[in-house]
Amino acid sequence: MESKKGAVSQFLESNFLHFNAASVVDAAKGYETHLNAGGKMLISLAGAMSTAELGITLAEMIRGGKVDIISCTGANLEEDIMNLVAHSHYKRIPNYRDLNPQDELELLHNKYNRVTDTCIPEEEAFRKIQHHIEKIWKDAEAKEERYFPHQYMYQLLLSGVLKDDYEIDPKNSWMLAAAERNLPIVVPGWEDSTMGNIFASYVIKEELKASTVKSGIEYMVWLANFYEENAIGHGIGFFQIGGGIAGDFSMCVAPMLEQDLEKDNILKWRYFCQITDSTTSYGSYSGCIPNEKITWGKLDVDTPSYFIESDATIVAPLIFAWILNK
């Protein structure tokens, strides 16, 4: 029996009737239909969605069993935890478009790293986490253990060492919700993140071995096994926020299994939605329309596909609200 929709969903259904607005509702209904049929869902996070506090709705999606696996950048992996422990120190700059180079330099000197209108405080965010995660890395290496980047972050959160530093309601942290559920995550290109850079610095100083953190190739091998085991029945859907490596890395697993491993009867992704404001242009993966993915063996001709040309910080919470019957 379908649950009654709340005020937000009712507003969407009665007002979002055309163009990108209609695509939002169509995509939300498609997501819901896929889950209700027994399908699973991957969500990919590009950009700075954690700093945009997507965790407010994404954490509830995770707790509610509405997402089965996440593919995200290293930045999104760590920035949710940074917001969890340093929220009061963040600095918002509504007039960021008016900043000149000297203004930006002053932010750097004051140890504020700007993400559009929001500045992440280096000392309170990065450094507060660094000494804890350094110990976890070194303890693992001493025991000759190796883990994926997200597993180290899970150990950090579940250890409880950060609890006294929480500055937001922990129910709004998607990483905490994911850790508590042990949700599968893949983090392609993790080294392109603050914590990845910090880890690399320890490798350069010969305080850690690069092999202590499992690699992107190992993520792909793990993902291939996960996909083959779970792409059955109604299969796995793909809800993509932004573009880039967070999306393409995971989406490639379906054609890899079929074309490179020459396996038969591999289900392609069985739902696809992308929210992007990237212009469709020559060579742009972030802005390529869903049909292009058919030619690469990622989507099938009958995969329900939706393309929303809009700001994900606005659109994604609305779609999640629909799924959660808000």
Side-chain angles (χ1 to χ4, degrees), residues 69-132:
I69 177 173
I70 285 176
S71 175
C72 71
T73 57
N76 276 302
L77 186 77
E78 67 197 15
E79 287 177 13
D80 180 80
I81 303 174
M82 292 174 186
N83 180 60
L84 176 65
V85 299
H87 183 79
S88 68
H89 299 278
Y90 278 60
K91 181 182 180 70
R92 186 162 179 264
I93 305 178
N95 63 330
Y96 67 93
R97 293 180 178 86
D98 301 327
L99 297 178
N100 60 42
Q102 188 60 40
D103 295 328
E104 305 279 20
L105 186 60
E106 288 177 13
L107 287 172
L108 172 65
H109 288 162
N110 289 315
K111 297 189 175 180
Y112 278 110
N113 301 135
R114 185 170 69 82
V115 180
T116 314
D117 71 342
T118 303
C119 294
I120 301 174
E122 181 178 320
E123 291 301 319
E124 289 79 11
F126 305 141
R127 305 309 170 197
K128 189 179 285 185
I129 295 172
Q130 181 178 350
H131 68 280
H132 291 302

Side-chain angles (χ1 to χ4, degrees), residues 16-27:
F16 279 36
L17 304 175
H18 303 282
F19 316 139
N20 272 307
S23 296
V24 169
V25 176
D26 291 344

Side-chain angles (χ1 to χ4, degrees), residues 166-180:
Y166 288 177
E167 293 193 353
I168 63 169
D169 189 329
K171 74 179 177 60
N172 291 332
S173 166
W174 75 263
M175 272 294 292
L176 191 56
E180 289 170 347

Side-chain angles (χ1 to χ4, degrees), residues 20-324:
N20 272 307
S23 296
V24 169
V25 176
D26 291 344
K29 289 181 176 179
Y31 191 134
E32 188 173 56
T33 297
H34 179 73
L35 291 186
N36 288 343
K40 296 186 176 182
M41 189 66 72
L42 177 148
I43 292 180
S44 76
L45 301 176
M49 297 307 297
S50 290
T51 292
E53 298 190 72
L54 187 66
I56 294 169
T57 48
L58 181 55
E60 191 172 353
M61 289 280 287
I62 292 169
R63 288 192 298 270
K66 308 299 185 183
V67 49
D68 299 281
I69 177 173
I70 285 176
S71 175
C72 71
T73 57
N76 276 302
L77 186 77
E78 67 197 15
E79 287 177 13
D80 180 80
I81 303 174
M82 292 174 186
N83 180 60
L84 176 65
V85 299
H87 183 79
S88 68
H89 299 278
Y90 278 60
K91 181 182 180 70
R92 186 162 179 264
I93 305 178
N95 63 330
Y96 67 93
R97 293 180 178 86
D98 301 327
L99 297 178
N100 60 42
Q102 188 60 40
D103 295 328
E104 305 279 20
L105 186 60
E106 288 177 13
L107 287 172
L108 172 65
H109 288 162
N110 289 315
K111 297 189 175 180
Y112 278 110
N113 301 135
R114 185 170 69 82
V115 180
T116 314
D117 71 342
T118 303
C119 294
I120 301 174
E122 181 178 320
E123 291 301 319
E124 289 79 11
F126 305 141
R127 305 309 170 197
K128 189 179 285 185
I129 295 172
Q130 181 178 350
H131 68 280
H132 291 302
I133 198 70
E134 175 190 353
K135 183 179 186 305
I136 293 171
W137 289 333
K138 289 183 175 179
D139 285 349
E141 185 166 304
K143 292 184 284 188
E144 298 185 339
E145 295 174 352
R146 304 175 62 242
Y147 299 98
F148 286 118
H150 77 279
Q151 292 175 320
Y152 283 115
M153 293 300 192
Y154 280 2
Q155 290 176 37
L156 173 66
L157 288 166
L158 297 176
S159 72
V161 296
L162 295 177
K163 276 190 174 181
D164 290 342
D165 293 317
Y166 288 177
E167 293 193 353
I168 63 169
D169 189 329
K171 74 179 177 60
N172 291 332
S173 166
W174 75 263
M175 272 294 292
L176 191 56
E180 289 170 347
R181 187 181 156 189
N182 196 26
L183 188 78
I185 300 182
V186 293
V187 191
W190 172 75
E191 54 273 19
D192 178 24
S193 66
T194 299
M195 289 301 144
N197 289 174
I198 289 170
F199 180 80
S201 76
Y202 289 125
V203 174
I204 293 167
K205 292 183 291 186
E206 299 185 345
E207 294 182 25
L208 284 168
K209 298 174 184 174
S211 59
T212 297
V213 174
K214 290 186 177 181
S215 70
I217 294 296
E218 289 171 285
Y219 261 135
M220 182 59 82
V221 172
W222 179 91
L223 181 61
N225 291 325
F226 175 89
Y227 191 88
E228 193 169 10
E229 289 174 7
N230 289 275
I232 56 177
H234 289 277
I236 310 174
F238 202 106
F239 187 86
Q240 181 173 344
I241 297 175
I245 193 172
D248 200 26
F249 179 91
S250 295
M251 183 154 278
C252 283
V253 72
M256 183 190 75
L257 286 165
E258 183 177 57
Q259 299 168 18
D260 302 319
L261 288 165
E262 299 181 345
K263 290 180 176 285
D264 296 323
N265 303 315
I266 297 297
L267 265 187
K268 296 176 175 63
W269 297 96
R270 294 306 304 150
Y271 163 98
F272 177 72
C273 172
Q274 183 178 11
I275 307 167
T276 180
D277 56 6
S278 178
T279 303
T280 299
S281 61
Y282 303 106
S284 166
Y285 174 77
S286 298
C288 76
I289 60 174
N291 282 359
E292 185 176 305
K293 301 181 196 311
I294 295 174
T295 74
W296 290 88
K298 299 171 182 176
L299 304 182
D300 220 328
V301 291
D302 64 344
T303 299
S305 299
Y306 310 89
F307 194 72
I308 305 168
E309 297 179 289
S310 190
D311 182 339
T313 64
I314 299 169
V315 170
L318 292 175
I319 292 177
F320 292 167
W322 178 280
I323 304 302
L324 294 166

